[in-house]
Amino acid sequence: MNETFTKAMARNIFYGGSLFFILVFLGLTYHTEKVLPERDHRENITEQVVHGKKVWEENNCIGCHTLLGEGAYFAPELGNVYKRFGNSKAAIMAFIKYRPVDGIKGRRSMPQFNLSDEELEAVAEFLKWTSEIDTSNWPPNIQG
Amino acid sequence: MKYESQKIARLYFIAALGLFAGQILFGLIMGLQYVIGDFLFPAIPFNVARMVHTNLLIIWLLFGFMGAAYFMIPEESETELFSPKLAIVLFWVFLAAGVLTVLGYLLVPYARLAEMTGNDLLPTMGREFLEQPLITKVGIVIVALGFVFNVGMTVLRGRKTVISSILMIGLIGLAVMFLFSFYNPENLVRDKFYWWWVVHLWVEGVWELILGSLLAFVLIKVTGVDREVIEKWLYMIVAMALITGILGTGHHYFWIGAPEYWQWLGSVFSAMEPIPFFMMTLFAFNMVNKRRRDHPNKAAVLWAMGTGVMAFLGAGVWGFLHTLAPVNYYTHGTQLTAAHGHMAFYGAYAMVVMCIISYAMPLMRGRIANSNRSQVTEMWGFWLMTVSMVFITLFLTAAGVVQVWLQRYTDTPLPFMIVQDKMAIFFWMREVAGVFFLGGLCVYLWSFFIGTDAEAARDSAKVLVKSSTKEYSKETAIA
Ligand code: HEM
Ligand code: HEM
Ligand SMILES: [Fe+2]
């Protein structure tokens, strides 16, 4: 770098540029928060959905699965599992409930979490709500 | 090394490398579970191994950053550390918190751990990378505060340099952004939105400041290039990092329910994120070419150049590969993401920590540099680990392409698990590359035990004598 471009100039670009983009980012965050209700359908977040999210978190489901494409890549995407299972909460609950304790020989298998019926309902309801978020048409197809 | 208190860094570096080894072990366990699904099931399910792998990574990098700061700040500030005692106490607190947390993951079912550690009070657990129990998170904040206070007071007391200010901003930013890990809205979309304020604004934001300042420090020391020149580069690198990286957060807001303008903003700004990484590569190579002396520590120079190149490849090239919204639509959350995550974390952060360790560790052991034999072994470790990581990345990329092709970019998408079976060959090859990586790590660790002080002194003297008679760009300086 040459002599006409001084260290003081570089410093000003750093502080000025960063500050500017922090402010822009905060502004955009504010705007996002304002329009989000149209896309996340928060009016449908019932107590059961909230409980379901907690069950999801307390069993670390994200440690194997992706949810809206984020998480681990060991097991299927679950953002659209409600639709993949034929819009059926019962199918989701049955799947989780009947995982074999000792796994499946030679195959990846999901642990048996011993969830109560109430917890099963809740997590299924959470996944149903999640499948209704407006994700700009992601995933590209039902397989997730 | 001029100040006694710099030696505290040694504790931090040893802990970092120990935890690094643990991280790799669990990586190999998971790699095997990818192809032999019931391996260690149900004793260590995949999600538990993954938490251990990624959390150990974060903890050891934090140990590395803190060690680096304890080494660099007194030297930059030209004064002893404000409180060496505090630094030692915090070390043991952090190590205990880290080890207990990992033991908790391994020995207690996660739901039980959540219950025991008060997740009901404030639910923060069960989110990727932020799986730590509430008490661990609070512990991290306390350690971070004490640490920032300690190095901050040292900076305030002594000489202020650009390197130490950028490092301080990076470290304070790291602590501040971590506070968002306590914010877990019930609305999943908002949860994800702010989750990235920790994860993205760390690795593509404030951590880049830490990365840049560590690199600049080592380059000043090993090349003897004028501080003015180095500092100007550093300012420009970190300026570009934040100018592109802050709005670049938008590349994670494409498909999580956020408004669609993020597809434009995220694509445009994150497409420029490779610039600061490219500048780091230029920076390292330019400074080494313009060097005013040959430093006896050749291994540290290799790590510095390697960090530049691998950070650019992993973050810049592999990041760019899937950062444009129309591409990301198909690649989001596939093995391509894992490929990028690995090379970026290794190439940028793991390597820069090993770079500062390579430079600082011999000094703390009373040497200018290690003996030739030790350095050659260290460089073998460097190449084995780095080339293995390149192969891990290539195999995961191949797996990712197959996955996108069969499951996403097609009119007849196959189910996830069927596609996973078809990718098995690449997962096997990744595991083999992983074993080579572990081999490289062992060689690297072994290099610390090679060669005596006398041998080191003799080898260093040879380089210094040669260096003092050679013609460099302008004046020659020995330090
Ligand atoms: C022996 C070498 C390694 C193996 C076999 C390995 C294996 C794995 C596996 C199987 C996963 C989980 C992927 C999934 O969610 O399905 C993972 C995640 C991860 N590993 Fe490794 N790993 C290794 C070394 C490393 C190293 C050296 C680093 C960084 C310095 C690293 C950083 C990460 C990160 C950041 C993730 C999370 C990735 C994401 O969320 O996209 N790993 N690793
Ligand atoms: C050293 C710097 C970087 C590190 C350590 C890093 C690491 C990671 C990791 C671990 C993930 C996976 C997160 C998850 O689990 O969901 C990720 C995702 C991503 N990164 Fe980076 N990254 C870096 C820089 C970059 C850069 C410079 C770009 C763009 C040019 C980029 C583009 C992306 C994109 C687009 C994703 C999302 C992938 C998806 O949709 O699944 N990254 N990064
Ligand atoms: Fe990012």
Side-chain angles (χ1 to χ4, degrees), chain B residues 45-122:
Chain B
F46 181 86
N47 62 335
V48 171
R50 193 184 202 271
M51 268 191 299
V52 175
H53 181 65
T54 55
N55 289 6
L56 281 178
L57 168 66
I58 296 170
I59 299 174
W60 86 258
L61 291 179
L62 293 182
F63 267 117
F65 293 164
M66 289 195 276
Y70 285 130
F71 186 84
M72 286 163 58
I73 293 289
E75 185 145 339
E76 287 291 295
S77 308
E78 297 184 332
T79 168
E80 292 287 353
L81 184 65
F82 179 72
S83 168
K85 259 206 207 92
L86 180 61
I88 292 171
V89 171
L90 290 178
F91 169 81
W92 290 108
V93 172
F94 196 50
L95 189 64
V99 170
L100 284 176
T101 303
V102 168
L103 286 179
Y105 292 161
L106 288 169
L107 300 178
V108 187
Y110 193 71
R112 183 85 187 83
L113 186 66
E115 202 187 305
M116 282 161 50
T117 55
N119 197 49
D120 284 331
L121 244 57
L122 178 69

Side-chain angles (χ1 to χ4, degrees), chain A residues 73, chain B residues 128 204 251 270 273 315 319-320 322 328 332-333 337 340 344 349:
Chain A
Y73 322 113
Chain B
E128 195 191 3
E204 290 154 78
H251 65 181
S270 70
E273 279 183 41
F320 183 79
H322 60 170
N328 191 262
H332 183 44
T337 312
H340 155 69
Y349 300 116

Side-chain angles (χ1 to χ4, degrees), chain A residues 22-129:
Chain A
I22 289 172
L23 292 176
V24 172
F25 189 60
L26 289 177
L28 288 164
T29 300
Y30 178 75
H31 181 264
T32 297
E33 286 278 16
K34 257 183 46 188
V35 297
L36 217 46
E38 292 158 33
R39 298 175 60 92
D40 61 22
H41 305 297
R42 61 187 63 179
E43 66 280 4
N44 297 332
I45 303 183
T46 58
E47 251 172 59
Q48 217 178 13
V49 172
V50 172
H51 183 206
K53 183 168 183 276
K54 196 144 172 284
V55 174
W56 166 269
E57 287 166 359
E58 295 196 336
N59 290 281
N60 190 30
C61 308
I62 202 83
C64 289
H65 294 278
T66 47
L67 188 64
L68 303 186
E70 294 165 6
Y73 322 113
F74 190 68
E77 162 68 30
L78 296 184
N80 66 342
V81 68
Y82 175 74
K83 294 176 181 161
R84 189 159 61 242
F85 279 17
N87 297 322
S88 163
K89 270 180 14 186
I92 295 177
M93 289 160 62
F95 186 90
I96 302 172
K97 188 165 181 176
Y98 295 112
R99 291 302 91 202
V101 177
D102 290 317
I104 306 165
K105 194 149 182 30
R107 310 279 308 163
R108 298 183 200 173
S109 103
M110 186 160 128
Q112 173 53 260
F113 292 107
N114 299 311
L115 300 185
S116 68
D117 287 343
E118 198 198 338
E119 289 169 327
L120 284 169
E121 273 288 336
V123 83
E125 193 62 34
F126 167 65
L127 291 172
K128 173 173 182 288
W129 169 76

